[in-house]
Amino acid sequence: MSELKQTRTIAIVGRPNVGKSALFNRIIGRRVSIVHEQEGVTRDRVVCETEWNEEHFELIDTGGLGTIDSRPTGDVLVNRTNEQVEVAVSDAAVIIFTVDLTAGIMPMDEEVARVLHRANRPVFIAANKADNASRDEETYGFDALGFPVFPVSALHNRGISALMEAVLPELPEGEKPEDRDPLRVAVVGRPNSGKSSYINRLLKGDRVIVSDIPGTTRDSIEIPFTIGKGPQARHYQLIDTAGVNRRNRRSGAVEHYSNMRAEESIDSADVVVLLMDASEGPKLQDKKLAAKIMEAKKGCVLMVNKWDLAEEADGVTQTQYEPALRKEMPFLGFAPLLFISAESGYNVKRSIDTIDYVAGQVETKLTTGVLNRVIQDAMAKNPPPIVKGRPLKVYYATQSGTKPIFIKLFVNNTLRATDTYKRYLINQLRKAFGLEGAPVELKLVPRPRPDLEEKKRRS
């Protein structure tokens, strides 16, 4: 395990189904991680910047550990989950070790504890599911794990303050960050796809004019939108764009201006929601919008609106509809897809969680060591093609930016990297790190061979 880093980061770890994600959501004050009784729902790290009593820090939610030792299990998802937990522990300054009070100490808890004792990090045990004061005495048995124990209930918000009062002083000193701009979310689509209805449903009010007449929204309207209160509130700037029409000779100045403003809204957004009409399926203009989102390298969420009408009229199911849609728009295969109804409210609340999730993915920071391991494993599994007599060699990989996820590959020769092979490497990165909805860019940088450079200096 690496030496302690001076980052204000707290990682929540533990075996599956002990309530890590529920505790994560309780601390940040809003629902980001998916909470479900099924084991293994959280597979990748979820990172969120938040604050507690004016103390700013990053909080990491990790997948449940299926095994802790370094031996592969044969289960790819378990291996990837364990790798993500390893990265989280390495990055964290403090660790919250979550256990299930009602289950007592399990063998996997003891295995996690042994690893954390070697991690050289302050560790605090959150004995979750202490739903009332009478259960607090049951925490004494967990002292055997060798860390301070705090009875908590993520469900009933018990004991969280006492836990955080112990955790926060262990964080390294850091400057209070400046207030950030709200998350900019552009909602785009063809005329009458339901963009304004969707935003009105989110706002629970008629902030945007809604009409059955295509093209009612001529300009891009920006609307501040806040979820929650106090320091944990999440601030949005929702951008309702004009419906994008196909340009032709009869298009007037208003249509041209509307299309231009919609494209500008995509350029200025952090995340773009591409809204489509379920009854019509993806049209040419939907595909052009998708291409614009790709060109602008923006986070993307695909939403199919009016799903209730299509389901009732055609009897089609989501499992039937999604493959057909993905086939029509394969270049956005990385974007999450959600079926909604702005009219009935179906999945509208869930759409906020999805947008928030993608917003976090576009700012993902990949640890250099794990990044290089994934690249080398991908190349070993599927070697690059021979180009001009020699294959591509990757000496080193590092992340150089976010929004999009920007990866630099230092290689022997940039001309030996085919577009197909670069797409393969990007797909392998997605399999390893998730990155749903986030664009990934590879920049190849030639690195001279040391032996050739030495010969040049001698000659």
Side-chain angles (χ1 to χ4, degrees):
M1 195 67 63
S2 61
E3 295 183 359
L4 183 62
K5 296 182 180 181
Q6 294 302 304
T7 58
R8 294 178 62 82
T9 303
I10 301 169
I12 301 176
V13 304
R15 61 182 178 82
N17 209 30
V18 293
K20 296 183 300 298
S21 295
L23 180 60
F24 176 93
N25 291 340
R26 179 64 69 180
I27 291 173
I28 66 173
R30 58 192 174 92
R31 186 177 182 272
V32 174
S33 284
I34 300 172
V35 179
H36 194 280
E37 62 184 6
Q38 177 184 342
E39 291 187 0
V41 171
T42 303
R43 289 170 178 162
D44 297 309
R45 292 175 298 148
V46 178
V47 184
C48 181
E49 288 190 2
T50 188
E51 70 172 7
W52 186 282
N53 291 341
E54 299 184 354
E55 291 281 348
H56 291 258
F57 56 93
E58 279 191 344
L59 189 65
I60 303 177
D61 181 24
T62 62
L65 288 159
T67 181
I68 304 295
D69 60 31
S70 58
R71 294 168 298 179
T73 65
D75 187 320
V76 176
L77 287 177
V78 170
N79 291 337
R80 288 178 185 156
T81 297
N82 292 347
E83 185 175 68
Q84 291 294 304
V85 174
E86 175 187 339
V87 173
V89 172
S90 177
D91 288 348
V94 188
I95 296 167
I96 296 177
F97 175 17
T98 310
V99 297
D100 184 346
L101 180 67
T102 62
I105 296 178
M106 305 294 286
M108 182 60 68
D109 295 325
E110 295 175 336
E111 192 176 350
V112 174
R114 283 194 293 271
V115 172
L116 295 182
H117 275 292
R118 301 195 300 264
N120 191 28
R121 305 287 193 274
V123 178
F124 298 86
I125 294 178
N128 192 29
K129 305 182 185 179
D131 294 341
N132 53 66
S134 64
R135 310 212 68 158
D136 291 355
E137 292 184 359
E138 299 175 33
T139 62
Y140 296 138
F142 289 90
D143 291 335
L145 297 176
F147 303 112
V149 184
F150 293 82
V152 303
S153 172
L155 179 63
H156 298 289
N157 196 20
R158 286 194 71 246
I160 311 297
S161 294
L163 172 67
M164 295 306 294
E165 286 173 7
V167 168
L168 292 175
E170 297 295 332
L171 289 173
E173 293 295 326
E175 296 181 359
K176 183 176 180 179
E178 297 179 358
D179 291 335
R180 294 194 169 186
D181 293 333
L183 180 73
R184 293 179 61 82
V185 180
V187 182
V188 303
R190 292 183 290 110
N192 211 30
S193 59
K195 299 181 298 298
S196 298
S197 297
Y198 169 66
I199 289 180
N200 283 343
R201 173 65 68 167
L202 285 181
L203 299 173
K204 297 182 180 178
D206 295 327
R207 292 289 299 276
V208 182
I209 298 173
V210 178
S211 170
D212 291 332
I213 303 173
T216 301
T217 304
R218 290 291 192 179
D219 207 346
S220 297
I221 304 168
E222 298 194 8
I223 308 164
F225 179 36
T226 302
I227 293 179
K229 297 180 180 179
Q232 279 76 39
R234 183 64 165 164
H235 303 285
Y236 300 86
Q237 194 79 7
L238 288 172
I239 309 169
D240 181 26
T241 61
V244 178
N245 289 289
R246 182 178 180 180
R247 289 191 177 99
N248 53 50
R249 295 177 182 176
R250 292 175 292 179
S251 297
V254 173
E255 285 76 12
H256 174 78
Y257 180 72
S258 296
N259 290 350
M260 183 179 69
R261 283 301 306 269
E263 292 177 359
E264 289 174 353
S265 297
I266 292 174
D267 289 330
S268 67
D270 297 302
V271 175
V272 180
V273 174
L274 176 53
L275 203 66
M276 292 172 283
D277 189 326
S279 61
E280 298 181 1
K283 300 292 186 181
L284 177 61
Q285 286 307 109
D286 294 314
K287 296 177 182 179
K288 287 186 176 181
L289 279 170
K292 175 60 182 176
I293 296 168
M294 290 286 291
E295 179 186 346
K297 300 179 177 61
K298 299 298 179 179
C300 182
V301 178
L302 296 175
M303 290 192 197
V304 177
N305 190 26
K306 307 180 185 179
W307 180 248
D308 51 340
L309 301 179
E311 192 175 34
E312 182 180 345
D314 303 327
V316 66
T317 66
Q318 294 180 18
T319 54
Q320 294 169 333
Y321 197 100
E322 180 170 359
L325 177 61
R326 295 292 191 188
K327 185 177 180 180
E328 288 290 320
M329 307 175 76
F331 43 89
L332 279 181
F334 64 91
L337 173 64
L338 197 62
F339 295 87
I340 71 165
S341 170
E343 181 67 27
S344 70
Y346 172 69
N347 267 347
V348 170
K349 287 184 178 180
R350 185 180 170 193
S351 71
I352 285 292
D353 292 335
T354 305
I355 292 168
D356 243 348
Y357 178 69
V358 171
Q361 294 296 292
V362 299
E363 293 185 322
T364 297
K365 297 176 182 178
L366 309 178
T367 302
T368 301
V370 178
L371 171 62
N372 279 271
R373 191 188 315 165
V374 170
I375 292 292
Q376 294 303 326
D377 287 349
M379 297 185 71
K381 183 171 65 175
N382 181 16
I386 303 297
V387 177
K388 296 185 178 179
R390 292 185 179 181
L392 173 75
K393 290 184 179 180
V394 176
Y395 301 116
Y396 187 70
T398 185
Q399 183 177 355
S400 58
T402 58
K403 298 192 215 177
I405 308 299
F406 211 101
I407 307 296
K408 279 187 179 180
L409 299 181
F410 294 87
V411 302
N412 57 342
N413 189 323
T414 59
L415 298 179
R416 295 195 179 111
T418 64
D419 290 341
T420 300
Y421 199 74
K422 285 190 285 187
R423 284 194 296 270
Y424 163 73
L425 291 178
I426 289 174
N427 288 335
Q428 293 304 300
L429 289 172
R430 292 193 184 283
K431 287 182 180 180
F433 297 106
L435 307 179
E436 291 88 350
V440 178
E441 289 289 311
L442 294 183
K443 179 176 176 59
L444 275 63
V445 180
R447 195 182 80 171
R449 285 174 50 186
D451 56 339
L452 295 180
E453 289 296 300
E454 182 63 24
K455 287 182 181 179
K456 288 182 181 178
R457 285 196 296 269
R458 290 179 178 178
S459 59

